[in-house]
Amino acid sequence: MRLYLEIMELLSEEEMFTRQPQFIRVEVRDEDQAMQLYQQLKPLFAGRKYVARLHYCYHEEGKPCEVKIIEEVE
């Protein structure tokens, strides 16, 4: 299994026509490292709507991925 911290900007339908959402995906070794890294990266999304999540990737094991929401800022 691989573990990723993902932070994705949430755009309205109208915004999607004119720009791409900001997106960060970083492989981490465990949830503690993910939470520490999230606290460091969080200021990059200040003033934006976004979702931060842990992505448990099981593709190498032939299984589906799982996602756990850390925080959603509207």
Side-chain angles (χ1 to χ4, degrees):
M1 175 205 62
R2 293 181 185 264
L3 179 61
Y4 299 97
L5 168 65
E6 298 177 338
I7 309 172
M8 179 184 277
E9 182 180 17
L10 302 173
L11 299 178
S12 68
E13 281 187 46
E14 194 171 290
E15 290 172 315
M16 293 289 279
F17 287 116
T18 58
R19 62 190 201 90
Q20 296 286 317
Q22 286 191 4
F23 180 72
I24 295 174
R25 182 183 200 202
V26 181
E27 187 171 1
V28 292
R29 68 179 168 270
D30 57 35
E31 288 187 20
D32 289 336
Q33 182 189 23
M35 294 308 291
Q36 290 173 0
L37 185 57
Y38 173 53
Q39 291 307 315
Q40 293 173 3
L41 296 174
K42 194 175 180 175
L44 297 175
F45 288 82
R48 301 178 187 274
K49 297 177 184 178
Y50 68 89
V51 61
R53 60 189 178 205
L54 294 174
H55 177 147
Y56 299 86
C57 184
Y58 295 103
H59 286 163
E60 292 175 357
E61 292 88 351
K63 299 176 184 176
C65 295
E66 295 178 18
V67 175
K68 177 181 172 186
I69 304 294
I70 298 171
E71 183 175 27
E72 191 166 345
V73 177
E74 295 277 335

